[in-house]
Amino acid sequence: MRKLLPILILLSTKIIFAQQTPNTDKIKISGIVLEEGTNQPLEYATLVLQSIDNLNKVTGGITNASGKYSVETQPGNYNIRIEYIGYKSYLLANKRLTESTNLGTIKLAPDVSQLDEIELVGEKTTVEVRLDKKIYNIGKDLTNSGANISDALNNVPSVTVDVEGAISLRGNENVRILINGKPSAMSGFGSTDALSQLPADAIEKVEVITSPSARYDAEGTAGILNIVLKKEKTLGFNGSVNTTIGYPNSSQVSTNLNVRADKFNVFSTLGYTFRQPPGNAIYDNTYTSSDYDRVIEDRDIQREDKAFNANLGMEYFITEKSSITGSVFGRLSDESDITETDSDFFIDSLLEKETYRIQDEKEDDESLQVSLNYVNNFDDDGHKLTGDFQYSYDYEDVLTRISENNTFPTTEIIAQENIYEKDTENGYLFQVDYVLPMGDAQFEAGYRGNFEQSITDYQLDTININTGEFQTDLELKNKFTYNENINAVYTQYGNKYGDISFLLGLRLENTQLKGAVDSEIDEETLEETFGEGVDLNFNKNYLGLFPTINFIYELDEMENISLGYNRRINRPRGRYINPFPSRTSTTNIFQGNPDLNPAYANAFDLGYLKRWKKITFTSSIYYQKETNSFERIQEETGEQTNDGIDIIRTIPINLSSNQRIGAEAGALYSPAKWLRLNASVNIYQFKTEGVFNDVDYGAENVSWFSRLSSKVSLPAKVEWQTNAFYRGPSQTSQTKSEGMFFLTLAFSKDVFKENGTLSFNVRDVFNSAKRRSYTVADTFTSDSELQYRERQITLGFMYRFNQPKGKSKEKQQGNGDDEGDDF
């Protein structure tokens, strides 16, 4: 409503003004509108120019994302008024305008008396389209109660999260996850596991960046997801407390607290989570060369996750135009996964043997992140300098105990193993950005240095059946150190000519990938294991240019067309490079490939946006071609377990190329005050080509996914939200996956004079979020079904203090999320 009203005002004023037939030359009226106290730009504020000589002659304009406006009118005497819903209006009466005039900076103060009388945009999910991204303001999404960030991302158009937590953008998993515009320990560096331990109600908005500008690093061939966290700007002490309990066993408590004074702003988010989400899986495997031709594995998975996270920070306002912000994020988690597997072994359809296997995995995680941000606004027109420093640390200590026994026809121990893994990651980030407005144009330049080191210490101990003692497997014991050092400089220029806005950028990145293996086995054994010519201690450098081009053509104030091009890189992570195998079972291992090189992609995106009174429609057509693309394949190792089962290896390789072409569309529709609908669909064709070890892994596939969300206001002020998601079947070179559907229901009611909210949530109503797939290789097949998490029922309560319900946070920025202005 905040955005809709000024646009409707403008439409009406333009109709009136269009009836006039001016004969004089026009002049330009410009300026900037900010929020008093915070100096944040107010987008969609309305400038109204009313002629003194003819009160029916009215024209005007609206501000952009930087709070700027620029309108043309004829010379004359005017009443000038600037309005913004929820803020006190500014009035300049009987102003004579004879030449182009800059009215300067005008600051509007919040009008507290209006806050409870209007519906603010913070109450609902909205979409904004910028030159290089789409911004989804999460709003009051009921299904986020008791959910984590991974769950919330599954409600964002173009984004999917599979049953194991892997995040995809337009069906492509090569997506870069940022927190407040930067890589972060909050997102677990290259892994997304940490996102499942952070509460969804910490999110302010999600930026889907499918055509990233040069200011973003070039990592992630699918694009970037930037998760912007909340940071209140309201004066005084305010915040919220959110608690949930659920079945299967789960509980969560989190707080968002803020203290805002004239010279500083202190913010904090604290949370504790406890979950016991059960899962299950079944694998039906057939073999052509093993002692058994069929093995059926039935798995039961019991988990217990406990995590505490804290984000504390303070922004200090050095002057009215400069500030420094410091924050510390920490997370401690204790995870336990127990997987019990009953296996049946067949020869010619006759049951020959049964085994029972238990895998007990305990993992302790520690994460720390320290961030400093400096902002100096040289003036009110957007001329500024920002500097960032960030240190991130993550430590994982994993102990996995595996025990496997025969249960039929005899009872005996088959194997016992203890696997010790310690992963340590350290990361440093340095960044400087400079923005120089030049009238309607803007110039930007900057530097980013990102330096990460990961150390993986791996040891496998197996029991000697004869002596009953554990012995270390020296061929697998290793310590792998992996460094990824990236230095980048960029520049970009944006301008607006009439109805066309553009942003042109160029980024130069140097990537250094270094690997070092500390192992007790000799070089001859290493060559037998990994092949000749494979350098386990490598030092590779890649220098690349990454151009970006983004255009928007405004057909009118409610309709535009966008066009984007960008070149991206996908760098292999440490797990993909580590040449020593790690196993999830005695028959399946994962092994990295030290010969893996970065993949490069060129992507094009054509988008269309149209707004009506009750509908916002977005759509795009996209094409991407990636060379040296990654593909995980499965193949035989030539080895067998003690009981005669072939050991299968999964390994990532560089294939020659893949191509992806697709289209997506989404609509936000509010047919009535009591009903809101949000729907989206994405369909794409994926084609890959490549040969490895004389095996052709080429494949072609068409898949799609869609989601529908409805929010209904029931009597007694009860809100009801339904989210439905369907992902169509898909296929790679070896694996076919069936479609998947799941449904989530949520209800809420405000209590205690709307300071509190009760919520009830059923996630995956039909217990149908299961991954069903069928894999075919030369010597084996695997028919599987995996349910990573079963149906979840949650009851929650949130209490807000000194924070009116529905208070808009759209103009409030999280630390470091300001990535520059758009045109």
Side-chain angles (χ1 to χ4, degrees):
M1 180 174 175
R2 170 180 284 178
K3 297 180 182 178
L4 185 59
L5 185 58
I7 292 174
L8 292 176
I9 293 174
L10 273 183
L11 288 175
S12 62
T13 58
K14 283 195 172 185
I15 292 172
I16 296 173
F17 185 63
Q19 296 173 355
Q20 311 298 322
T21 56
N23 296 315
T24 57
D25 294 335
K26 292 184 178 181
I27 59 176
K28 181 181 291 186
I29 308 301
S30 58
I32 186 171
V33 182
L34 304 178
E35 181 184 39
E36 185 177 291
T38 67
N39 289 327
Q40 298 299 315
L42 294 178
E43 185 180 8
Y44 294 101
T46 307
L47 169 72
V48 179
L49 300 174
Q50 183 183 42
S51 174
I52 298 294
D53 302 324
N54 181 359
L55 296 179
N56 292 324
K57 181 180 177 181
V58 181
T59 186
I62 58 175
T63 57
N64 64 12
S66 303
K68 299 177 184 178
Y69 60 87
S70 179
V71 299
E72 291 183 341
T73 188
Q74 282 118 19
N77 297 320
Y78 290 91
N79 290 324
I80 301 174
R81 190 168 65 253
I82 295 178
E83 300 175 337
Y84 193 71
I85 296 178
Y87 288 74
K88 297 178 180 178
S89 297
Y90 169 86
L91 177 63
L92 182 61
N94 200 11
K95 175 72 174 178
R96 181 166 179 78
L97 301 174
T98 59
E99 59 183 3
S100 294
T101 303
N102 188 325
L103 298 177
T105 300
I106 296 172
K107 297 182 179 182
L108 301 185
D111 189 349
V112 179
S113 64
Q114 295 185 34
L115 288 179
D116 294 329
E117 300 173 4
I118 58 177
E119 176 189 23
L120 297 180
V121 73
E123 281 295 292
K124 58 185 178 182
T125 299
T126 62
V127 59
E128 301 172 37
V129 176
R130 304 289 176 83
L131 270 168
D132 56 353
K133 58 193 170 187
K134 291 186 178 75
I135 302 173
Y136 294 94
N137 299 289
I138 298 301
K140 190 184 176 185
D141 192 330
L142 308 185
T143 62
N144 286 340
S145 177
N148 55 52
I149 288 182
S150 291
D151 297 326
L153 290 178
N154 219 8
N155 295 329
V156 175
S158 304
V159 180
T160 55
V161 183
D162 73 8
V163 293
E164 295 181 278
I167 298 171
S168 299
L169 181 58
R170 292 174 167 173
N172 189 344
E173 291 186 7
N174 297 328
V175 57
R176 180 71 155 166
I177 307 295
L178 302 179
I179 304 291
N180 292 335
K182 303 175 185 66
S184 173
M186 296 186 193
S187 60
F189 292 97
S191 169
T192 59
D193 294 342
L195 296 179
S196 64
Q197 300 173 0
L198 300 176
D201 58 18
I203 300 177
E204 173 75 19
K205 58 189 176 183
V206 176
E207 298 178 345
V208 178
I209 310 171
T210 53
S211 184
S213 65
R215 69 171 69 98
Y216 296 100
D217 58 17
E219 173 71 25
T221 55
I224 296 171
L225 289 179
N226 183 28
I227 302 168
V228 180
L229 303 181
K230 293 177 180 176
K231 190 180 72 169
E232 181 64 62
K233 293 276 189 178
T234 305
L235 289 172
F237 178 63
N238 58 84
S240 63
V241 178
N242 191 8
T243 61
T244 63
I245 57 172
Y247 176 83
N249 288 343
S250 68
S251 60
Q252 175 183 298
V253 58
S254 63
T255 64
N256 289 290
L257 305 176
N258 246 78
V259 178
R260 173 75 161 88
D262 291 335
K263 296 292 291 183
F264 65 87
N265 179 33
V266 179
F267 53 92
S268 68
T269 301
L270 306 174
Y272 175 78
T273 301
F274 173 81
R275 289 191 179 93
Q276 290 181 320
N280 58 83
I282 186 166
Y283 297 84
D284 189 346
N285 306 316
T286 64
Y287 302 90
T288 60
S289 59
S290 296
D291 293 348
Y292 301 93
D293 52 32
R294 186 183 183 191
V295 178
I296 299 176
E297 300 179 8
D298 190 354
R299 296 183 184 177
D300 180 70
I301 307 168
Q302 298 294 327
R303 305 183 186 89
E304 182 176 282
D305 301 337
K306 294 178 287 185
F308 171 77
N309 63 83
N311 186 32
L312 308 174
M314 183 178 77
E315 181 177 10
Y316 177 72
F317 302 95
I318 304 171
T319 67
E320 188 175 327
K321 297 183 182 297
S322 64
S323 67
I324 186 169
T325 302
S327 64
V328 177
F329 167 79
R331 183 182 69 246
L332 299 173
S333 68
D334 181 8
E335 302 176 39
S336 175
D337 288 10
I338 298 177
T339 303
E340 298 176 279
T341 305
D342 290 301
S343 299
D344 295 337
F345 297 76
F346 296 87
I347 299 178
D348 296 331
S349 301
L350 296 177
L351 179 63
E352 295 290 329
K353 184 175 68 171
E354 291 181 350
T355 65
Y356 170 76
R357 182 177 186 270
I358 182 168
Q359 176 176 308
D360 185 355
E361 178 182 303
K362 298 187 183 300
E363 178 177 334
D364 294 325
D365 289 356
E366 300 174 7
S367 294
L368 173 68
Q369 179 176 295
V370 179
S371 302
L372 288 174
N373 168 258
Y374 170 75
V375 178
N376 187 357
N377 295 291
F378 298 106
D379 56 34
D380 294 327
D381 295 326
H383 184 199
K384 66 180 178 180
L385 175 71
T386 61
D388 291 276
F389 166 77
Q390 183 173 284
Y391 168 71
S392 298
Y393 167 82
D394 190 69
Y395 175 75
E396 296 179 0
D397 188 353
V398 184
L399 170 61
T400 304
R401 301 182 185 274
I402 300 175
S403 176
E404 190 166 5
N405 302 298
N406 276 330
T407 58
F408 172 81
T410 61
T411 302
E412 60 182 346
I413 296 175
I414 299 176
Q416 287 186 3
E417 298 178 345
N418 292 333
I419 302 174
Y420 305 89
E421 294 178 88
K422 295 183 179 180
D423 294 308
T424 305
E425 296 190 11
N426 286 279
Y428 295 87
L429 180 142
F430 303 89
Q431 182 171 333
V432 178
D433 296 283
Y434 176 72
V435 181
L436 176 64
M438 298 179 293
D440 287 337
Q442 183 166 289
F443 169 80
E444 295 183 48
Y447 162 81
R448 175 179 286 191
N450 198 29
F451 311 98
E452 296 181 9
Q453 181 187 74
S454 62
I455 301 174
T456 302
D457 199 336
Y458 182 88
Q459 178 178 320
L460 171 64
D461 291 354
T462 59
I463 196 170
N464 186 316
I465 301 298
N466 297 324
T467 64
E469 296 180 354
F470 282 92
Q471 298 175 341
T472 300
D473 188 334
L474 298 180
E475 291 189 358
L476 292 181
K477 178 179 171 59
N478 72 93
K479 186 176 183 180
F480 180 64
T481 302
Y482 181 62
N483 289 274
E484 181 180 279
N485 301 320
I486 303 168
N487 286 280
V489 291
Y490 78 91
T491 183
Q492 64 183 20
Y493 174 79
N495 207 338
K496 183 174 183 178
Y497 293 99
D499 295 326
I500 298 179
S501 302
F502 67 86
L503 189 61
L504 308 178
L506 185 64
R507 188 177 186 90
L508 175 67
E509 287 194 353
N510 176 257
T511 300
Q512 181 188 41
L513 306 180
K514 294 174 60 178
V517 174
D518 181 7
S519 174
E520 297 185 16
I521 60 177
D522 55 39
E523 292 185 5
E524 183 177 347
T525 306
L526 284 173
E527 287 189 357
E528 292 177 357
T529 305
F530 304 113
E532 295 184 5
V534 176
D535 188 2
L536 303 184
N537 298 285
F538 56 87
N539 187 346
K540 301 178 180 180
N541 272 274
Y542 306 89
L543 184 66
L545 280 173
F546 301 91
T548 62
I549 303 173
N550 289 288
F551 289 91
I552 285 185
Y553 175 57
E554 297 178 5
L555 301 174
D556 57 42
E557 293 167 351
M558 308 288 280
E559 185 177 17
N560 65 57
I561 297 173
S562 61
L563 176 65
Y565 161 78
N566 64 91
R567 185 171 186 256
R568 310 287 295 164
I569 185 174
N570 184 23
R571 303 179 184 92
R573 305 298 301 178
R575 181 171 181 260
Y576 270 36
I577 292 287
N578 190 344
F580 283 85
S582 60
R583 65 175 84 193
T584 57
S585 73
T586 56
T587 58
N588 292 278
I589 64 173
F590 180 90
Q591 184 173 355
N593 180 3
D595 257 356
L596 206 61
N597 293 313
Y600 295 90
N602 290 281
F604 299 85
D605 192 293
L606 177 64
Y608 173 75
L609 168 71
K610 174 70 174 176
R611 288 189 175 97
W612 292 272
K613 182 177 180 180
K614 296 183 178 182
I615 302 176
T616 298
F617 174 77
T618 61
S619 63
S620 64
I621 299 173
Y622 55 91
Y623 170 79
Q624 180 189 83
K625 183 172 183 179
E626 184 175 331
T627 58
N628 248 10
S629 58
F630 301 165
E631 177 82 2
R632 286 175 295 187
I633 65 167
Q634 291 182 302
E635 62 179 12
E636 279 191 309
T637 61
E639 299 178 358
Q640 291 187 337
T641 62
N642 294 335
D643 51 349
I645 302 299
D646 288 346
I647 298 177
I648 306 301
R649 174 178 74 165
T650 300
I651 183 172
I653 62 172
N654 285 118
L655 282 184
S656 60
S657 68
N658 69 51
Q659 297 182 68
R660 186 182 300 265
I661 183 170
E664 62 182 353
L668 297 169
Y669 178 42
S670 300
K673 288 184 177 181
W674 54 270
L675 177 62
R676 295 173 187 155
L677 301 173
N678 183 358
S680 65
V681 62
N682 188 307
I683 182 169
Y684 59 92
Q685 181 190 56
F686 178 83
K687 182 179 181 180
T688 182
E689 298 175 348
V691 177
F692 181 75
N693 287 344
D694 298 325
V695 178
D696 186 355
Y697 290 100
E700 187 171 343
N701 174 57
V702 175
S703 188
W704 63 285
F705 59 88
S706 64
R707 51 171 52 86
L708 173 64
S709 175
S710 66
K711 188 174 179 182
V712 180
S713 297
L714 300 174
K717 295 185 177 181
V718 174
E719 301 286 341
W720 166 28
Q721 184 169 324
T722 304
N723 286 357
F725 174 83
Y726 177 78
R727 185 176 64 200
S730 61
Q731 181 176 347
T732 65
S733 59
Q734 292 183 307
T735 302
K736 293 181 180 179
S737 298
E738 295 183 10
M740 182 179 69
F741 171 81
F742 63 86
L743 183 75
T744 297
L745 296 178
F747 299 87
S748 77
K749 178 175 173 56
D750 292 318
V751 294
F752 301 132
K753 298 181 179 179
E754 297 189 341
N755 289 317
T757 301
L758 283 170
S759 61
F760 177 74
N761 189 316
V762 182
R763 191 175 303 277
D764 190 13
V765 174
F766 301 112
N767 209 33
S768 57
K770 302 176 181 180
R771 186 182 66 191
R772 299 178 176 90
S773 59
Y774 184 68
T775 299
V776 179
D778 286 344
T779 59
F780 70 92
T781 68
S782 180
D783 191 356
S784 64
E785 178 183 285
L786 170 64
Q787 184 176 26
Y788 194 76
R789 184 174 62 178
E790 298 178 4
R791 180 195 298 115
Q792 180 77 41
I793 301 173
T794 304
L795 179 65
F797 174 70
M798 173 183 282
Y799 185 79
R800 297 170 291 273
F801 47 93
N802 299 330
Q803 192 181 81
K805 174 181 177 288
K807 180 174 175 11
S808 172
K809 294 183 175 61
E810 183 171 314
K811 305 303 164 195
Q812 303 157 3
Q813 298 174 331
N815 179 28
D817 69 300
D818 184 5
E819 290 283 349
D821 299 324
D822 297 306
F823 297 86

